[in-house]
Amino acid sequence: MPEVSLSHITMRFGKVVAVDEVDLTIADGEYVTILGPSGCGKTTLIRVVAGILEPTQGEVRINGKSMRGVPIEERDLGYVFQNIALFPHMTVKANAAYGPTVKDLPMEEREQVAKKYLEMVKLLDKMSMFPSELCGGEQQKASLARALATGAKLLLLDEPLSALDARVRVDLRYELRRIAKSLGLTVVHVTHDQEEAMSVSDRIVVMRAGGIVESGTPEQLYTRPRDVFTANFIGETNLLEGWVKQRLPGKSTIELRDNSLIEVENCDPQVGEAVVVSVRPEFVFPFTDGLLSRIEYLTYMGTYWRVSSRSQSNDMVEFDVPSIEGKLYHPGQEVYLMFNRNAAVVYPRPKEGVTEAVKLE
Amino acid sequence: MSRLERATAFVSKPRIRNLWTLIVIVFFLAFVITPTLFVLTYAFTNWDLIQTEVIQDPEMMSQIWTAIANSFEIAAIVTLIDILVGLPMAWILVRKKFRGKELLDTLIDMPLAVPTAALGFSAAIFWGITPADLTNPLGLKIVSSPFLLIILLHIIFSYPYMVRSLSAILEQIDQTFETAGQTLGASKLTAVRTITLPLFRAGLVTGIILCFARSLSETGGTVAALATVANTDFNTAPTLIDSLKSTPALAFTSIVLIILALVLLVVVAIVVKKLHIPFRKVWPRPEKILSRGLAPRLKDATSVLFLVFIVLIPSFFVFTFVFTSSPSTTTDWSQFGQSLVNSFLIAGVVTVIDLAMGIPLALYIAKNRSKWLPETLDILVNVPLIVPTVALGFSLKLFWTGGTPVSGPFAIFLVMLAHIAFTYPLMVRNVTGAVEEIDPTYEETARTLGAKPIQGFKRVLFPMIKASILAGAIMAFTRSLGETGATRAVSTTVLTAPNYIVNLIKLENDYYAAALACIILIIISYALMLALRYITRRRKGVS
Ligand SMILES: Nc1ncnc2c1ncn2[C@@H]1O[C@H](COP(=O)(O)OP(=O)(O)O)[C@@H](O)[C@H]1O
Ligand SMILES: [Mg+2]
């Protein structure tokens, strides 16, 4: 029953601090994604879990057992590499049978196990082919089957879908989650794709510059992110700076930089404090009054139009209108915008400035 | 239009360019390939002579077969040892990070800078039981078998080639494969054996062939070593060719050597491809024990000790000689001076001709892939690399003179031709490789901007392959400078520096002078090698 816990994990490469004091616990059977922009230390972190890297500081425990000094091959985990890494000189079946082979199981059993997992990923008909004869999605499935065939209950996935076409990527997401849940696996899935993270995870851990920003269910992180970085990184949002003017239970007022007022339901900062309000484009509406804004351009998104406008204080404000209403708006037009009160989230304004705080680095 | 522009336009004319390509191809066939393989025709034209003078002379036959068998046994053993000790060293160089790696990297190449004639002398006084007038208190004096001595000698200069070829392949193999194997439960050793080693296969052929061919060709070092331990009846094929006088016997030995070398090339290529490194059988326990703890450390330590004690110390042991023995008074140093001048003259001329004739051929091959002529030329270019240089030298002499002894300036001229034959492939290989790495669209872009082909070459392509051309030139120069076998096969009287050293040891027993000459030659060659490293480093840094 794998439960993974990381305490104070730090990984340095010379002067570069790739992972900085990370604490994280992953429960048995949980599907966790580690989400963050490229270069934030995700790969380094799961390599530390796998034992490919020895951390500079800190300790990895799997099932409560310290992994210090335990080599990769004795950690009993499956690892799917970003570049797939199927052995090019072996058939798909031999690849899948590699785990049972190096345990020196009897021939029939190797075969049986390999076939079982190839069937699970629906690749049984391609098992005599060599990796180079498969397309990207099939290769990724084969590499998943190979990892599963070791019988490990802990699965580490490093950007498993990033090498694939958009369509295949979406299909495979569901496959991944389905298989993980049916086998009762504990999964740590690393990705920089927030949509992917949202669609597969029980819980998302947001990383930035070597550290963990926050973690929560996809819904929590989308609707009520605790950090302005998360608000900006997951989904899309408008960030507007202002001050708390009035603070009442269930109804507070924020004055924006162009002196217009907006109402929000929840506001932790005190009256007079500098804040930044995050509100997603789907929760901004044109109305008879509100924030005065001039439309700059419209982008067709299929099911809706994304309208990009600029307020008098020169902030970009985006909002969505249904497809059929697209012709009601045109560049240069002035509109008044309202915000959905309970969808707006208020953060204290970061000391380093909003731009700096949401920068991906 | 200026004169230069007009000249540029002239040489850019398709007809002129085709003419030049034609000249280069004819040069290659007439001056490189045909003379190299010409000796083979001797079997048809003079079969009766071979029949009466060689085949029907049992003593001669047994001498020839023994020498050839010695050569192949030595080459096989040397190659095997090189692979076994080369693999761990390649791993250290490619996969490990540690302080002093740069130093180790440099040390590996050191023996390459020592001309083999000097190496032979140095190794013989280190390992061998030498005559009384050669007392060096520091020498080990433990090897009495000439067979073993020659193996130890050949390991020294083939080891760097093997380590370099193996490292080059290992660098191409993504380490993720090994790590993936480990995440699937394989111990380090199991992962290496079942995943990385099978991926080595194709590249291993190059290493084996280079190593084997070098050992098979080696003359100067072997002659020098055998003369140093005062051995007269042990022969390898090259030393036999060096001492034989009868043309039919020489031809017969050369033919057998060339044919066997070419057959071997094909056999090795096939065997290594078919060779089944077992990856279905695993021994989880023993391999696990060998993967961790003491065993890997022991393996690394052994690799480094091997490098130091078997390769490096014997290479440079000659330096101790001048401190432990007294100078002879009879040495004619002006001869050594003259031999150095000759060596540099030959190497210089050879390099210039390699440049002029090699670059156009390389361009032609690299840019016309998938046509039969360039493809054939590409394969043919490798032939002189595999043909043992003594056989090559003899074949070339037979081609130009019919086998009569030569001397004077004409002999020097023939030596140059022989050196061109085995250095030319180095130049072509280097430049072909570099051109093929470059995206052809650069030059095409230049052409769409209005550049004539020759301008395209000068402004766009040349700057990018300049370093490889220079590397090829220095390689050709050093190989020519250190060559003994081909030179002596053409004429033992042509005074090149390695030849001079061999004669000092073999004919005059003037060991002190030989040692001093070796040291001077080592220093000069080392300076050249440093230049080569500097240039190739810079090339890596830029790309
Ligand atoms: N082996 C290494 N040596 C030096 N720096 C490294 C190494 N591996 C990763 N890094 C650095 O650590 C940081 C995090 O890298 P990585 O974990 O690969 O990020 P991610 O997977 O989130 O894109 C990067 O700045 C990267 O350059
Ligand atoms: Mg990564």
Side-chain angles (χ1 to χ4, degrees):
Chain A
M1 294 297 101
E3 180 204 76
V4 181
S5 87
L6 309 179
S7 52
H8 306 297
I9 296 288
T10 298
M11 185 76 218
R12 285 196 202 93
F13 299 105
K15 287 218 167 71
V16 181
V17 184
V19 172
D20 192 9
E21 286 281 323
V22 163
D23 287 292
L24 179 65
T25 302
I26 294 155
D28 178 34
E30 196 178 17
Y31 197 122
V32 170
T33 46
I34 297 186
L35 172 67
S38 6
C40 73
K42 308 179 297 288
T43 297
T44 306
L45 189 65
I46 63 163
R47 284 182 165 246
V48 165
V49 175
I52 301 168
L53 295 171
E54 221 16 71
T56 320
Q57 253 174 58
E59 191 174 52
V60 178
R61 289 174 168 274
I62 298 180
N63 290 331
K65 204 174 128 227
S66 169
M67 288 291 121
R68 188 163 294 153
V70 178
I72 310 172
E73 62 269 22
E74 283 164 29
R75 294 195 176 194
D76 196 20
L77 43 82
Y79 193 113
V80 174
F81 289 82
Q82 182 163 8
N83 62 352
I84 301 176
L86 286 170
F87 307 134
H89 60 300
M90 299 182 196
T91 60
V92 169
K93 192 170 81 178
N95 264 282
Y98 190 83
T101 302
V102 296
K103 286 206 190 84
D104 207 17
L105 298 183
M107 280 291 176
E108 318 80 70
E109 205 175 329
R110 297 179 193 179
E111 182 115 333
Q112 210 181 334
V113 172
K115 280 186 177 163
K116 172 178 160 195
Y117 289 98
L118 285 173
E119 181 164 27
M120 190 172 289
V121 298
K122 304 185 182 109
L123 217 56
L124 210 48
D125 53 331
K126 302 266 165 83
M127 69 178 187
S128 312
M129 291 189 174
F130 281 90
S132 58
E133 298 168 306
L134 302 183
C135 68
E138 291 166 342
Q139 289 181 353
Q140 197 51 277
K141 285 181 184 175
S143 113
L144 179 66
R146 181 177 72 174
L148 295 174
T150 58
K153 291 287 176 199
L154 170 60
L155 189 60
L156 308 179
L157 309 168
D158 189 0
E159 312 244 5
L161 306 176
S162 66
L164 309 177
D165 296 343
R167 192 55 191 258
V168 184
R169 204 151 61 198
V170 172
D171 291 343
L172 267 181
R173 275 180 204 162
Y174 299 105
E175 284 292 290
L176 267 180
R177 190 175 162 87
R178 176 183 67 81
I179 290 170
K181 289 298 166 191
S182 73
L183 294 173
L185 306 178
T186 306
V187 181
V188 185
H189 174 142
V190 157
T191 180
H192 67 271
D193 179 346
Q194 42 99 10
E195 216 177 287
E196 182 178 311
M198 301 261 272
S199 59
V200 295
S201 329
D202 294 329
R203 180 156 65 106
I204 299 175
V205 176
V206 180
M207 260 185 98
R208 181 197 187 205
I212 291 180
V213 178
E214 65 178 300
S215 85
T217 64
E219 200 190 350
Q220 276 169 351
L221 292 190
Y222 189 77
T223 55
R224 297 260 145 222
R226 282 188 294 275
D227 194 286
V228 64
F229 175 79
T230 313
N232 184 60
F233 188 61
I234 296 187
E236 282 154 83
T237 197
N238 295 300
L239 294 173
L240 301 165
E241 293 176 47
W243 297 266
V244 181
K245 192 170 173 73
Q246 191 186 28
R247 192 163 172 274
L248 297 168
K251 185 181 179 223
S252 302
T253 311
I254 310 289
E255 182 178 351
L256 298 183
R257 290 195 303 178
D258 61 352
N259 301 329
S260 59
L261 300 176
I262 59 172
E263 282 183 1
V264 298
E265 198 170 278
N266 295 306
C267 173
D268 292 337
Q270 301 301 315
V271 172
E273 213 176 307
V275 294
V276 48
V277 181
S278 158
V279 56
R280 302 196 182 276
E282 64 265 34
F283 298 120
V284 180
F285 310 99
F287 197 61
T288 48
D289 70 30
L291 180 67
L292 180 62
S293 216
R294 180 187 294 274
I295 296 176
E296 291 200 335
Y297 54 89
L298 292 90
T299 314
Y300 185 56
M301 307 293 280
T303 50
Y304 61 92
W305 283 89
R306 162 87 25 109
V307 187
S308 305
S309 67
R310 205 168 279 283
S311 72
Q312 285 174 310
S313 55
N314 212 23
D315 287 311
M316 178 65 87
V317 186
E318 297 190 317
F319 61 98
D320 296 344
V321 297
S323 283
I324 43 163
E325 288 175 24
K327 29 182 159 359
L328 301 179
Y329 302 93
H330 53 84
Q333 185 180 354
E334 290 197 326
V335 284
Y336 289 97
L337 299 174
M338 284 291 277
F339 301 89
N340 185 329
R341 277 206 296 153
N342 51 26
V345 186
V346 182
Y347 302 96
R349 199 183 304 170
K351 287 179 285 297
E352 68 271 30
V354 175
T355 329
E356 194 61 29
V358 302
K359 213 164 72 178
L360 298 183
E361 282 175 335
Chain B
M1 229 195 228
S2 79
R3 199 175 297 166
L4 182 69
E5 277 169 9
R6 231 173 299 159
T8 307
F10 177 72
V11 294
S12 286
K13 278 195 186 133
R15 218 192 288 160
I16 301 295
R17 282 199 301 148
N18 289 343
L19 185 66
W20 184 241
T21 307
L22 190 68
I23 291 173
V24 168
I25 292 173
V26 168
F27 167 86
F28 171 65
L29 294 175
F31 286 81
V32 178
I33 284 297
T34 312
T36 299
L37 298 175
F38 180 72
V39 69
L40 298 178
T41 66
Y42 190 88
F44 300 106
T45 55
N46 291 291
W47 181 248
D48 43 339
L49 271 180
I50 291 182
Q51 185 90 356
T52 51
E53 286 191 32
V54 187
I55 296 180
Q56 285 162 10
D57 179 350
E59 201 173 311
M60 178 71 89
M61 278 304 271
S62 98
Q63 203 183 6
I64 292 175
W65 285 122
T66 313
I68 288 179
N70 281 342
S71 273
F72 275 81
E73 280 165 28
I74 289 172
I77 294 172
V78 164
T79 308
L80 193 66
I81 294 178
D82 278 340
I83 292 177
L84 290 180
V85 295
L87 277 173
M89 189 46 95
W91 242 271
I92 293 177
L93 287 178
V94 176
R95 294 284 160 85
K96 288 223 156 94
K97 287 197 191 106
F98 55 94
R99 249 185 298 160
K101 185 162 156 176
E102 284 277 301
L103 176 70
L104 187 65
D105 207 55
T106 314
L107 285 179
I108 301 241
D109 284 343
M110 297 265 289
L112 292 181
V114 184
T116 54
L119 270 186
F121 181 59
S122 186
I125 58 174
F126 179 70
W127 294 115
I129 296 170
T130 48
D133 57 335
L134 234 173
T135 45
N136 185 330
L138 300 172
L140 290 182
K141 304 184 195 62
I142 49 169
V143 176
S144 60
S145 145
F147 190 76
L148 184 56
L149 178 65
I150 302 308
I151 286 178
L152 286 167
L153 166 66
H154 286 199
I155 285 174
I156 296 175
F157 60 77
S158 57
Y159 176 86
Y161 282 99
M162 185 56 92
V163 172
R164 288 286 163 229
S165 330
L166 294 178
S167 321
I169 311 161
L170 191 57
E171 247 160 42
Q172 304 290 315
I173 300 177
D174 191 348
Q175 191 175 2
T176 316
F177 290 133
E178 240 165 87
T179 314
Q182 284 182 277
T183 64
L184 296 169
S187 64
K188 184 100 187 160
L189 182 64
T190 312
V192 167
R193 185 174 59 78
T194 57
I195 300 161
T196 318
L197 282 187
L199 295 176
F200 249 89
R201 255 185 238 183
L204 204 54
V205 180
T206 321
I208 291 178
I209 288 172
L210 266 181
C211 204
F212 211 99
R214 281 288 283 171
S215 170
L216 217 52
S217 292
E218 218 307 300
T219 316
T222 316
V223 172
L226 292 175
T228 307
V229 296
N231 186 298
T232 47
D233 55 356
F234 181 83
N235 269 316
T236 64
T239 65
L240 184 69
I241 294 179
D242 194 58
S243 62
L244 282 178
K245 294 282 175 286
S246 121
T247 301
L250 278 168
F252 181 73
T253 316
S254 301
I255 290 170
V256 173
L257 204 52
I258 290 177
I259 291 177
L260 285 180
L262 292 178
V263 167
L264 189 89
L265 172 73
V266 178
V267 170
V268 166
I270 293 173
V271 167
V272 173
K273 286 229 174 73
K274 290 264 149 76
L275 185 74
H276 201 69
I277 301 176
F279 59 75
R280 299 202 157 251
K281 186 78 205 107
V282 291
W283 300 272
R285 267 175 175 283
E287 288 189 324
K288 185 175 141 191
I289 293 167
L290 288 176
S291 291
R292 293 173 62 73
L294 201 57
R297 252 176 262 162
L298 214 58
K299 179 200 70 190
D300 290 347
T302 315
S303 305
V304 174
L305 288 179
F306 186 93
L307 171 68
V308 172
F309 288 102
I310 308 289
V311 179
L312 292 178
I313 293 183
S315 303
F316 295 95
F317 191 69
V318 64
F319 280 88
T320 67
F321 192 78
V322 282
F323 301 117
T324 56
S325 63
S326 49
S328 58
T329 46
T330 57
T331 317
D332 180 2
W333 285 107
S334 73
Q335 275 212 351
F336 181 58
Q338 183 59 45
S339 75
L340 272 182
V341 170
N342 283 347
S343 273
F344 276 83
L345 178 73
I346 292 169
V349 171
V350 162
T351 308
V352 169
I353 294 178
D354 282 344
L355 282 169
M357 294 292 167
I359 297 172
L361 189 71
L363 290 177
Y364 175 67
I365 290 174
K367 293 188 166 184
N368 293 282
R369 283 279 173 215
S370 79
K371 290 191 198 147
W372 71 268
L373 180 60
E375 278 299 312
T376 315
L377 291 173
D378 189 42
I379 295 167
L380 280 181
V381 152
N382 293 323
V383 170
L385 285 181
I386 296 145
V387 170
T389 51
V390 255
L392 186 152
F394 174 74
S395 176
L396 186 121
K397 182 167 109 175
L398 199 65
F399 179 70
W400 293 110
T401 72
T404 51
V406 288
S407 62
F410 183 60
I412 293 194
F413 175 68
L414 278 191
V415 167
M416 284 176 181
L417 287 183
H419 284 207
I420 287 171
F422 68 81
T423 55
Y424 189 77
L426 297 175
M427 178 66 75
V428 176
R429 277 275 78 92
N430 261 298
V431 178
T432 318
V435 174
E436 279 174 355
E437 268 179 27
I438 292 172
D439 188 344
T441 52
Y442 284 121
E443 221 183 342
E444 280 157 18
T445 310
R447 297 280 298 277
T448 62
L449 297 172
K452 294 262 190 308
I454 190 86
Q455 288 172 323
F457 174 74
K458 204 176 106 201
R459 298 265 165 78
V460 184
L461 192 56
F462 179 71
M464 290 196 260
I465 60 171
K466 198 164 58 180
S468 297
I469 292 176
L470 218 52
I474 295 179
M475 260 183 216
F477 193 89
T478 11
R479 271 300 291 276
S480 167
L481 207 58
E483 176 63 22
T484 326
T487 314
R488 290 176 69 87
V490 171
S491 159
T492 48
T493 60
V494 171
L495 209 57
T496 63
N499 215 351
Y500 174 75
I501 291 171
V502 168
N503 285 341
L504 273 182
I505 299 168
K506 199 175 172 180
L507 306 177
E508 301 176 29
N509 297 348
D510 186 347
Y511 300 113
Y512 184 84
L516 217 56
C518 285
I519 291 172
I520 293 171
L521 204 51
I522 288 173
I523 292 170
I524 293 172
S525 311
Y526 197 66
L528 284 174
M529 198 190 80
L530 281 185
L532 177 67
R533 283 184 77 89
Y534 177 70
I535 289 162
T536 45
R537 269 290 150 70
R538 223 176 24 175
R539 176 176 53 174
K540 266 189 203 154
V542 169
S543 62

